[in-house]
Amino acid sequence: MIQGRDVVTLETFSPEELRFVLDRAKDMKRDGHGTPLQGRALAMVFFNPSLRTRASFAIAFSSLGGTVVDLTAERDIWNLELREGAVMAGVAEEHAKDAARVLSEYADAIAIRSLARHDDWATERRDLVLVSFQKHASVPLFNMESVLEHPCQAWGDALTLEEEFGDLRGKKLALTWVYSPNARPLAVPHAVGIMAAKMGMQLTICHPEGYELDHGALDVVHRTAAETGGTVRVTNDLTEATTGAHAVYAASWGSTNLHGRPDEERHLRSRHTERRITADLMARTQSGRFLHSMPIRRNVEADDAVIDASSSLVIRQAGNRLHIQRALFAEVLA
Ligand code: CP
């Protein structure tokens, strides 16, 4: 059903395809998975740090019998040029198009992590590293978190939520901005929003003014919800957003308007240090289920009592990355 596909954005997968992979992941988690990827190889390139994605991608692929090459940009590979037609007289020794084409000779799939740098949002949202690899690779490309999206995170989160609630249609998910001293990527809230809409959930997006999601991602969320029977509500009020929710998904993300202007962004952010998930807030929800993609700043984004509660799903979320990625690898490379 998804053989040979790129896993770059959830937008390109239908609810039926999402369902297919979720069911496959559940089967593999319950019954085991064999080694269908013997003789196959995955090349991972990280332009940014990672704990969960690096470990779960490598372990998922190798546990299916495959071989993994793990490359860190600016340490293991040459500086890459992204501009088409560039005169490469600067620091970049290699063009991304050549890196993508060469890795396609060695590997059956390429996986990229590439987050925003320090440009304005109009530039960043073009997701140039990912797009360049997607354009020039001749094997399937996996997005391990880019500027705009983190599809495998949200796919694993859907698995975690289904394990708790079964059918997600009509379930209330509060996707809430929480304070962190640093502007974190928008990829997780975008992907979680799109996933919730694809699953027909009642989604509430909550953030302070100035922290609106990317307009393109938000359009996809609204359009998708209209197709699936889901709903989308945006509010600034954290108490209102969490009251009655089946689950609270906390994330801290940067201001798109102030992207590339870190001093102004920090100033705006510093006005919202009180936005933290507490046990009192969770007591207002229907079930106390708490999600976060991690890494999480304890007692800044959420209290220890919330993260360590028996109803917290954060560790299972991280664990389910392994199962969803095994299912994706097995089906994309079938
Ligand atoms: N959630 C997640 O992607 O974690 P890492 O950044 O550690 O990979």
Side-chain angles (χ1 to χ4, degrees):
M1 194 179 214
I2 60 165
Q3 192 176 8
R5 294 272 292 277
D6 289 336
V7 182
V8 164
T9 167
L10 292 171
E11 186 185 357
T12 57
F13 290 92
S14 68
E16 293 71 30
E17 289 166 340
L18 298 175
R19 164 89 279 117
F20 171 72
V21 175
L22 285 165
D23 289 343
R24 190 82 173 90
K26 286 176 191 169
D27 290 346
M28 292 171 106
K29 186 173 179 178
R30 187 184 55 241
D31 303 332
H33 44 76
T35 52
L37 297 188
Q38 268 181 353
R40 316 295 285 280
L42 171 70
M44 307 193 299
V45 186
F46 284 90
F47 290 81
N48 307 90
S50 163
L51 187 155
R52 279 143 291 273
T53 306
R54 187 190 292 270
S56 63
F57 260 68
I59 293 169
F61 201 88
S62 54
S63 67
L64 294 171
T67 299
V68 177
V69 177
D70 180 351
L71 302 166
T72 296
E74 293 174 18
R75 188 192 70 189
D76 300 327
I77 65 173
W78 306 105
N79 276 337
L80 295 183
E81 175 63 65
L82 297 174
R83 295 167 300 161
E84 295 286 340
V87 177
M88 289 176 52
V91 291
E93 297 279 356
E94 180 152 45
H95 202 286
K97 69 158 61 165
D98 295 324
R101 287 154 68 190
V102 169
L103 288 176
S104 300
E105 293 287 310
Y106 305 142
D108 299 279
I110 298 173
I112 301 289
R113 164 161 291 196
S114 171
L115 307 181
R117 297 164 190 218
H118 309 290
D119 279 321
D120 62 84
W121 186 247
T123 305
E124 294 287 5
R125 72 184 303 283
R126 294 167 63 198
D127 234 341
L128 282 177
V129 175
L130 190 77
V131 165
S132 185
F133 270 84
Q134 188 174 21
K135 182 171 172 192
H136 297 292
S138 56
V139 295
L141 188 77
F142 287 80
N143 178 356
M144 298 194 292
E145 189 173 357
S146 70
V147 177
L148 283 180
E149 234 192 277
H150 197 353
C152 297
Q153 175 69 51
W155 222 321
D157 296 337
L159 174 59
T160 306
L161 286 165
E162 282 198 347
E163 287 176 342
E164 287 300 303
F165 298 110
D167 187 353
L168 296 181
R169 275 175 299 183
K171 296 293 185 304
K172 295 178 183 166
L173 180 68
L175 173 59
T176 60
W177 187 98
V178 287
Y179 174 76
S180 169
N182 300 322
R184 301 271 305 145
L186 284 107
V188 168
H190 288 167
V192 170
I194 295 169
M195 177 59 81
K198 293 259 181 193
M199 304 305 284
M201 299 184 82
Q202 291 186 31
L203 174 68
T204 300
I205 303 170
C206 176
H207 55 74
E209 254 179 67
Y211 285 91
E212 293 74 23
L213 297 181
D214 173 73
H215 61 87
L218 209 48
D219 279 352
V220 176
V221 173
H222 281 287
R223 204 169 349 104
T224 305
E227 289 163 7
T228 62
T231 60
V232 187
R233 193 167 61 99
V234 180
T235 176
N236 296 147
D237 187 328
L238 184 55
T239 304
E240 181 201 323
T242 49
T243 300
H246 288 93
V248 173
Y249 199 124
S252 186
W253 61 87
S255 164
T256 56
N257 291 335
L258 299 179
H259 208 279
R261 289 146 63 188
D263 291 343
E264 290 170 69
E265 209 278 345
R266 225 181 337 270
H267 180 68
L268 177 62
R269 174 170 295 274
S270 69
R271 288 165 43 192
H272 302 291
T273 54
E274 80 297 346
R275 291 227 176 199
R276 186 178 88 252
I277 304 299
T278 62
D280 282 351
L281 271 177
M282 292 307 294
R284 295 170 169 275
T285 66
Q286 289 201 33
S287 66
R289 300 293 193 281
F290 175 72
L291 297 100
H292 190 291
S293 62
M294 306 176 91
I296 185 166
R297 289 181 180 261
R298 284 175 172 265
N299 304 308
V300 175
E301 294 181 70
D303 287 351
D304 279 341
V306 172
I307 301 167
D308 296 331
S310 58
S311 52
S312 166
L313 300 175
V314 296
I315 302 300
R316 183 132 55 90
Q317 274 178 274
N320 275 338
R321 295 284 304 276
L322 198 55
H323 304 293
I324 210 77
Q325 288 155 198
R326 271 200 195 108
L328 282 166
F329 289 142
E331 292 304 323
V332 168
L333 300 178

